[in-house]
Amino acid sequence: MRVFLFLTVFSFLFLTNVFSLEIQGNIDNEMKVQIKKFYSENGRSKTEKLLNYLGYHFFTFNRNQLIISNPERVDDVAFHGNLIFLNNTLQGASGLAKGDPIYPETLENSAEKVRKYYFRNGYRNAKVSANIFDNDFVFRIREGKRFLITDINVKNAAYPESFNFLNPKIFDGKIVNTYVKKIENYFRSNGYFNVSTDVTYSKNDKYTFFLNINNPVSSVMSVLPNFHQGVSLIVSVEKGEKFSLRIEGIEDEETETLMRNEISKNLKGISTFNVRYTEGELEKLLREKGYINPHVVIIVKERKIIVDVDYGEKFVITKVNFIYNSLPVNKLSDEFDINRSLLYSKNENAVKRIVTDKLYSKGYVYAKVQDINFINKNGKLAVDIIINEGDIYKIDDVFVNDKEILDNLQRTATSKEVSNLLGIVRSNINSEYYFTSITFDRFIMDKDNGVDLVFKSDLSQFRLNRVISSDENLKNFVREHFFDNPEITKVKIDSLKNFLARQKNYINYSVGVIPISENKADIVLSGRKGEANEIFGGFAYDDIEQFNVFAGYRRFDIFGTAHHFQILTSYSSREKSLTLSLGSDNFFAPNLANIYSLGWKKRDEDNFEYEQLKASIQFFKTSSSFRYGLGVYAEELNFTGLTYEKDFTEKLSDEYKLIGIPVSAGSSGSYLGPVVEVEYSAEAKIKPLFQIDQNSFITGELNTMLKIYPDDRFRFKLKSDFGYISRNNGDIPLNYRYTLGGPYRMKAFDYRDIGSEDEEGNVYGGSRFYYFLFGAEYELRNNVYIGPFVEYGNAIDQWDFSNGYTDIGIALTADTMLGSIGISFAYETVGSSKSDSAFYLTFSSSF
C-alpha cells in the first residue's frame, strides 16, 4: 500500500513538474502554450525537433526551464548609389535576405561582401558603407569607375608576344592570373624554373569599345568615358637562373615532348615540394602512355635538371577483346570506354564495374565478368574480357517494400528505366503515404527473363493529430483542408510547402512532420510575414496585334487574410483592358481556389468594335487528378461600327446584358504503357447565358490533349477542341460566335478569317467549331523544344468535317530563367485567301 501511495505521489509530482516548464525568451504567449503542451505529451527529444521546425535554433534546456534566444531579423535590404548593378544582384552578393538573423558581425561582413563583389567586377575604388535602421539594412555605395585592362606589358625580360585588347578586359583577379600564368609558363619552358612575377598597373587615357556580353546594361554604362578607366597591366619578371633540362630513360619523342610540357606547367620553382609534385604528375602521364610501374626521379645539380625515368615495360599496342556468351564479338565494344591506365595497372575490379554497368544500362541485369586475361607479348598487350551477359530482362511488377505498386509492365530493365520508374512510383504513392525517401533496393527474379523491381522507402500512414504554428490564421487554414481527409501524405505536405513558397509574404518558412504515435503525427509550420508586393509584366508580338504590352501589380495577404489583390492592364493596337481581382490560394490545387474580379475591355475587330464590362466570381476544387469549376458573372457588351450586310446587321443588337454560369470539369494525368509514356488531359465546359430582353443560349466546349513520349527527347502532341452554341441567330453577340485564327488556333490565319461569312465575305462566325492539332517536338536541351505542326479546323453553322482549313508550321518553345519564349511560323495550305502565313513571337515573365 505504501509503495502504491509512493508511486501515485511520485507520478503526480512528475506530471506537475513537466507541466510547469518555464519558457524564457522573445516568444508570444500563444506559442508558449503550444510548446508546453507538446513538451508535456512528447518529452524533450521531440520538443527539440519541434523548436527547430518553428525556427528557434538557439535554445537551452535547464531542468524545467527552456531558454530561447531569438535574434533580431532583417526587415528589409536597400541600396543607394548603385548605377551598374540591380538591387537584387547586390542583395545576393551581400548574402542578406529578409528574415535572416542579425548578429554583431552581420553588418560589417555584408558590407565587405558587397565591396568585394564590386572589386571582382573591376570597380577597384568602390566604397561601400552600411547602417541599420530598425532592422532595415541600408547600403550606401560610391561605385567609382570600372577599371578595364587595355594592354599588358612585360618588363625586365624579353617576351615574344604583345597584349593589346581591342575590347578591353575587366580588371579582375581571374584575368590577371590567366595572363600571368601564360607568361610564367613561357619562361619555364625556356629553362627559368625559379621565375617570379610582380603585377602592378598604371592608369592611361586609352579609350576603346567595351562590350560586356554577360551584362549588356553594364556595357552601355561602361562604354562611356566617364564610367570607365583604362589601365595598363605591368608584369615585372624575375627570371632567376637558367637550367638545362635532360630526360633520361625515354626514347619516345612524342612522350618526351609531353613530359617537357608537363614539367613547364608544374615545376613552379626548384623546391622540394614542387619537385616531388612534378614527379607524381609525370608518373601519371607515363602510366596513361602505356608505361608499366613508372618511377620518376628529378635531380637538380648545379644548373641542370635531370629527369630519370625507370619503368617495368611499355605497351605500344593495346587490344581489348570482349568475349561474350552469346552476343556478337563487336557488340558494345566501342561503348565500354575503358581507360588504358586501368588495363596497364591491371585494375580488374574497376574494369568489371565499367563493363557490368554498361550492360545493365542495356538491360542485362545479371551480367557478370567471369575472367580477365592479360597477355603481354613483345610490347603488345592483349586483354581478353570474358563476359557472361545472360539475357535482357523485362520488369514485371514493381514493389515499394512489400507493397505492389505497378504490375506486368514488360519494360526492359535498364538503369535508365529504373530511374524513370522511380519517379513514376513516387508520384503513385505520394497521395496515399507520407515518406521522406525512396531508393532502388534490388531485383527479384520471378521467371525466365522477368524480374520484379523493389524500391525501399520509409512509408508511413499518419492521421493529423495537431497543427502547431504561431500563425493562427495559417493553422485554421490547414486544419480546414484536412477536415474531410485527415491523412497526412507526401503530396499534401509538398503542396503545403509549395503554397508557402508561392506566398511572397512568407519568409523563412518550413513545414515539418513529427510522428506522435504509430499512426498519428503533428504538422509544424513556421515562417513570418514580410513585405507583400509584386510587380510583373511582359510583352508579345504578332503580325495582327503588333506589340501587346501587359503589366500588373499584386499585393499579398491583403486585409490580414490569405487573399491577394491583383491589378492587370494590357495594351495593343487592337485591345485595351483593365482587370481587378481578389483571390486566394488553395495549396491542394494548382490554381486559385476562388477569384472575384472586375474587368473592362475595348477591342477593335476587322468589322466591328465592342466594349465589355464584366464582374465574376469563380470557385475551383481539385480532387485527385480531377478539377471542377463553378462560377457566375454579369456582363454588358456594346457594339459599334458593324460593317456587315444590312440583312445581317438588322438581326444584331448594339447592346447586350448577360448573366453567365460557367461550369467546368476536367482531368489530367500520365500513364506508363508497355512501350511509351503518355500524358493526357480533358476538360468539358458548359456555360448557360441568360439575356435580358433576348433569347438565352448555352455554349459548350470539349478540349482534349494527348502527349506521347516515345523516348527521352521526342514527344508528339495531339489536340482536339470542339465547341457548340445552342442557338444560331442574332441573339448571340458576335464575340461569342466562334471564329478560328490568331496565335492560339490556326496560326496562319487572322482572328476572323475562319467562320461563316455574309455575301460580301465578312466573317461573322459559326455556331460550332472543330479543331485538330498534330505536332512533333524534339528537345534541343532542357525545356527547349523545336518541331513542326499541322492544324485543321473550321467554324461553321452545320457540322461538316470535309471542308476545313489547314496550315502547317514550325514552333520553338523554351522555358528559361528569364521567362517563357515562343516562336512560330505557320503557312496556310488550304482555306482562306485573306492570309497565307504568320509569324509569332511571344514572351512572358514575372520579375
Side-chain angles (χ1 to χ4, degrees):
M1 182 67 182
R2 291 178 180 177
V3 173
F4 177 74
L5 180 62
F6 170 77
L7 291 174
T8 303
V9 173
F10 177 80
S11 299
F12 175 77
L13 292 174
F14 175 76
L15 290 173
T16 303
N17 215 22
V18 169
F19 271 102
S20 63
L21 178 70
E22 178 187 351
I23 301 178
Q24 295 183 3
N26 183 18
I27 178 173
D28 62 78
N29 291 329
E30 173 63 26
M31 201 69 247
K32 285 182 180 179
V33 172
Q34 295 187 64
I35 294 174
K36 285 182 179 181
K37 185 174 182 180
F38 187 90
Y39 179 77
S40 68
E41 295 175 353
N42 302 289
R44 174 172 170 173
S45 177
K46 289 184 178 179
T47 303
E48 290 177 347
K49 195 171 185 180
L50 169 69
L51 292 169
N52 283 320
Y53 278 134
L54 289 172
Y56 302 114
H57 300 296
F58 305 97
F59 58 84
T60 302
F61 280 96
N62 183 19
R63 294 184 179 177
N64 287 337
Q65 190 179 59
L66 170 61
I67 304 170
I68 297 175
S69 174
N70 191 15
E72 295 291 325
R73 296 186 177 273
V74 177
D75 282 343
D76 199 4
V77 184
F79 298 88
H80 300 293
N82 52 312
L83 298 175
I84 299 299
F85 299 111
L86 299 175
N87 283 359
N88 57 357
T89 301
L90 295 181
Q91 184 172 334
S94 72
L96 285 178
K98 296 177 183 179
D100 285 350
I102 303 173
Y103 302 109
E105 65 275 11
T106 301
L107 181 66
E108 183 179 345
N109 288 348
S110 57
E112 180 61 13
K113 288 178 180 177
V114 174
R115 189 196 68 79
K116 287 182 176 178
Y117 181 81
Y118 271 97
F119 190 86
R120 288 195 305 271
N121 284 276
Y123 294 90
R124 305 182 80 82
N125 292 334
K127 306 294 183 184
V128 179
S129 62
N131 292 286
I132 303 178
F133 303 96
D134 296 329
N135 295 349
D136 291 346
F137 274 64
V138 179
F139 293 85
R140 300 192 182 279
I141 301 167
R142 292 180 60 188
E143 294 177 330
K145 295 183 178 182
R146 169 173 268 173
F147 282 32
L148 303 176
I149 303 173
T150 60
D151 56 275
I152 300 176
N153 301 309
V154 180
K155 297 293 182 67
N156 301 333
Y159 187 75
E161 186 178 355
S162 61
F163 300 104
N164 291 285
F165 306 115
L166 179 62
N167 186 35
K169 309 291 184 182
I170 296 174
F171 192 174
D172 65 4
K174 186 176 181 181
I175 288 293
V176 172
N177 290 337
T178 297
Y179 284 95
V180 168
K181 183 178 180 180
K182 182 177 182 179
I183 292 168
E184 289 180 348
N185 283 345
Y186 167 78
F187 288 105
R188 279 197 294 271
S189 67
N190 284 277
Y192 297 97
F193 292 100
N194 283 323
V195 65
S196 63
T197 54
D198 180 57
V199 180
T200 58
Y201 68 89
S202 64
K203 297 179 182 179
N204 61 47
D205 296 327
K206 293 182 179 179
Y207 172 71
T208 58
F209 177 76
F210 170 63
L211 176 64
N212 182 10
I213 298 175
N214 295 325
N215 192 333
V217 174
S218 174
S219 293
V220 172
M221 300 295 288
S222 295
V223 77
L224 302 175
N226 290 336
F227 287 91
H228 80 242
Q229 172 64 60
V231 299
S232 298
L233 207 64
I234 302 169
V235 182
S236 299
V237 177
E238 292 292 336
K239 295 189 295 185
E241 294 181 320
K242 184 174 182 178
F243 293 81
S244 62
L245 176 63
R246 187 169 79 248
I247 299 176
E248 297 180 350
I250 295 293
E251 298 178 357
D252 180 8
E253 292 184 4
E254 179 186 354
T255 303
E256 182 176 341
T257 300
L258 291 175
M259 289 182 68
R260 287 182 178 274
N261 293 336
E262 196 73 18
I263 293 168
S264 299
K265 183 172 69 174
N266 294 296
L267 193 56
K268 302 176 181 179
I270 308 301
S271 67
T272 301
F273 171 80
N274 287 324
V275 169
R276 298 288 89 84
Y277 177 79
T278 305
E279 287 174 347
E281 293 301 302
L282 291 174
E283 288 175 355
K284 288 182 185 178
L285 172 65
L286 291 170
R287 280 193 292 271
E288 292 173 358
K289 297 299 292 181
Y291 291 83
I292 304 303
N293 297 323
H295 182 62
V296 177
V297 177
I298 297 178
I299 302 169
V300 180
K301 188 175 182 181
E302 296 178 349
R303 294 187 180 180
K304 297 179 181 178
I305 297 177
I306 302 171
V307 181
D308 186 27
V309 180
D310 185 26
Y311 58 90
E313 55 186 330
K314 180 182 184 299
F315 297 120
V316 295
I317 298 177
T318 304
K319 184 178 181 182
V320 182
N321 302 310
F322 296 97
I323 303 171
Y324 299 100
N325 183 41
S326 59
L327 288 175
V329 173
N330 294 326
K331 186 72 173 179
L332 303 176
S333 60
D334 296 332
E335 299 183 43
F336 286 112
D337 193 24
I338 300 174
N339 191 300
R340 291 171 62 184
S341 63
L342 296 178
L343 301 175
Y344 300 148
S345 61
K346 298 184 179 180
N347 191 334
E348 294 188 16
N349 289 333
V351 173
K352 288 180 179 180
R353 185 170 59 252
I354 292 171
V355 172
T356 53
D357 285 351
K358 175 54 69 175
L359 288 168
Y360 176 30
S361 73
K362 300 295 184 180
Y364 297 91
V365 175
Y366 296 108
K368 292 183 179 180
V369 176
Q370 293 181 328
D371 199 6
I372 301 179
N373 297 323
F374 297 89
I375 304 169
N376 178 19
K377 186 176 181 181
N378 298 327
K380 298 179 181 180
L381 177 64
V383 183
D384 293 339
I385 302 177
I386 302 170
I387 303 168
N388 183 358
E389 74 281 3
D391 296 309
I392 290 181
Y393 288 84
K394 298 286 186 179
I395 298 173
D396 287 337
D397 305 331
V398 179
F399 293 83
V400 177
N401 301 339
D402 58 348
K403 301 180 184 298
E404 185 178 82
I405 307 299
L406 302 171
D407 63 346
N408 196 30
L409 292 181
Q410 295 302 307
R411 300 178 70 87
T412 304
T414 64
S415 54
K416 186 175 181 180
E417 190 60 52
V418 171
S419 178
N420 291 338
L421 286 172
L422 176 62
I424 294 170
V425 168
R426 181 184 285 112
S427 65
N428 279 15
I429 64 175
N430 65 9
S431 60
E432 298 182 32
Y433 301 93
Y434 176 74
F435 59 94
T436 58
S437 67
I438 176 171
T439 58
F440 169 67
D441 186 17
R442 65 190 186 277
F443 286 110
I444 300 176
M445 176 83 74
D446 64 350
K447 58 184 178 180
D448 291 342
N449 294 350
V451 292
D452 290 339
L453 175 61
V454 181
F455 295 103
K456 61 180 179 181
S457 176
D458 55 333
L459 292 186
S460 301
Q461 289 188 306
F462 293 131
R463 294 174 67 87
L464 177 62
N465 181 60
R466 183 190 298 126
V467 181
I468 302 173
S469 174
S470 58
D471 187 333
E472 196 64 30
N473 289 331
L474 191 57
K475 281 172 58 178
N476 294 333
F477 181 67
V478 174
R479 277 199 295 257
E480 176 186 343
H481 288 287
F482 274 88
F483 181 78
D484 294 331
N485 184 8
E487 280 76 21
I488 297 175
T489 63
K490 187 176 188 301
V491 69
K492 286 184 179 180
I493 299 301
D494 288 346
S495 296
L496 180 53
K497 290 177 180 178
N498 292 334
F499 165 77
L500 290 175
R502 294 198 305 268
Q503 308 311 300
K504 300 301 175 73
N505 56 326
Y506 276 97
I507 300 169
N508 289 346
Y509 72 90
S510 69
V511 180
V513 176
I514 301 180
I516 302 304
S517 64
E518 185 177 348
N519 57 6
K520 287 185 179 181
D522 288 350
I523 292 179
V524 185
L525 306 172
S526 72
R528 73 182 195 89
K529 295 180 180 179
E531 293 298 321
N533 302 295
E534 183 182 8
I535 297 175
F536 59 95
F539 70 91
Y541 178 82
D542 60 61
D543 62 351
I544 300 166
E545 296 266 343
Q546 303 299 314
F547 278 101
N548 181 11
V549 181
F550 63 92
Y553 167 82
R554 185 178 291 124
R555 172 77 183 185
F556 293 86
D557 196 36
I558 191 169
F559 307 134
T561 68
H563 287 74
H564 64 252
F565 171 75
Q566 177 174 293
I567 179 171
L568 175 66
T569 182
S570 65
Y571 180 86
S572 72
S573 60
R574 288 189 174 216
E575 181 176 301
K576 305 169 187 64
S577 69
L578 177 66
T579 303
L580 307 175
S581 65
L582 182 70
S584 67
D585 283 306
N586 179 340
F587 64 81
F588 290 128
N591 297 302
L592 295 175
N594 50 72
I595 306 173
Y596 312 93
S597 66
L598 292 171
W600 167 83
K601 180 168 70 171
K602 188 171 184 179
R603 182 164 181 83
D604 181 7
E605 296 287 5
D606 288 332
N607 309 112
F608 62 89
E609 296 181 11
Y610 72 89
E611 187 172 10
Q612 175 193 58
L613 292 173
K614 187 175 182 180
S616 69
I617 303 174
Q618 290 180 284
F619 300 92
F620 299 98
K621 181 177 177 58
T622 297
S623 175
S624 184
S625 62
F626 292 91
R627 183 170 185 263
Y628 308 94
L630 174 64
V632 60
Y633 68 84
E635 181 179 4
E636 180 177 314
L637 291 166
N638 291 286
F639 288 83
T640 58
L642 292 167
T643 60
Y644 294 96
E645 62 183 15
K646 185 176 180 181
D647 290 344
F648 178 74
T649 55
E650 287 176 350
K651 300 177 184 178
L652 298 175
S653 298
D654 294 331
E655 183 178 331
Y656 294 85
K657 292 182 172 62
L658 305 95
I659 294 177
I661 304 178
V663 179
S664 64
S667 176
S668 61
S670 61
Y671 167 71
L672 181 64
V675 179
V676 295
E677 184 177 348
V678 175
E679 181 181 339
Y680 63 87
S681 67
E683 185 176 27
K685 304 174 186 176
I686 298 176
K687 187 174 8 178
L689 289 115
F690 304 95
Q691 301 194 77
I692 298 175
D693 299 329
Q694 286 163 314
N695 290 323
S696 300
F697 60 96
I698 298 175
T699 69
E701 287 192 24
L702 176 64
N703 311 115
T704 66
M705 185 188 67
L706 195 66
K707 290 183 180 179
I708 302 172
Y709 300 83
D711 67 12
D712 291 340
R713 310 200 74 169
F714 280 98
R715 67 181 181 187
F716 297 100
K717 182 178 180 181
L718 304 172
K719 180 176 174 61
S720 67
D721 296 338
F722 298 90
Y724 176 76
I725 304 175
S726 62
R727 303 183 67 87
N728 184 18
N729 56 33
D731 292 322
I732 303 174
L734 283 174
N735 63 314
Y736 275 90
R737 292 178 62 85
Y738 296 120
T739 59
L740 301 181
Y744 302 108
R745 286 199 183 106
M746 305 298 291
K747 294 182 178 60
F749 299 89
D750 199 343
Y751 282 95
R752 303 190 69 81
D753 272 3
I754 300 175
S756 301
E757 303 177 0
D758 65 5
E759 292 183 354
E760 297 180 1
N762 298 320
V763 176
Y764 59 83
S767 62
R768 63 206 73 191
F769 82 90
Y770 60 87
Y771 170 79
F772 301 98
L773 167 73
F774 173 77
E777 294 177 308
Y778 175 74
E779 187 176 21
L780 298 174
R781 56 185 307 171
N782 292 340
N783 296 318
V784 179
Y785 287 88
I786 189 171
F789 60 85
V790 178
E791 297 177 293
Y792 182 78
N794 202 354
I796 48 182
D797 281 326
Q798 300 294 329
W799 290 117
D800 182 1
F801 295 92
S802 62
N803 192 26
Y805 294 72
T806 305
D807 65 33
I808 60 175
I810 188 168
L812 172 72
T813 60
D815 290 328
T816 70
M817 294 181 65
L818 297 177
S820 298
I821 300 172
I823 301 173
S824 68
F825 174 80
Y827 178 76
E828 174 263 312
T829 59
V830 177
S832 172
S833 60
K834 298 175 184 177
S835 64
D836 57 9
S837 64
F839 173 79
Y840 295 103
L841 168 63
T842 60
F843 169 80
S844 64
S845 180
S846 297
F847 50 87

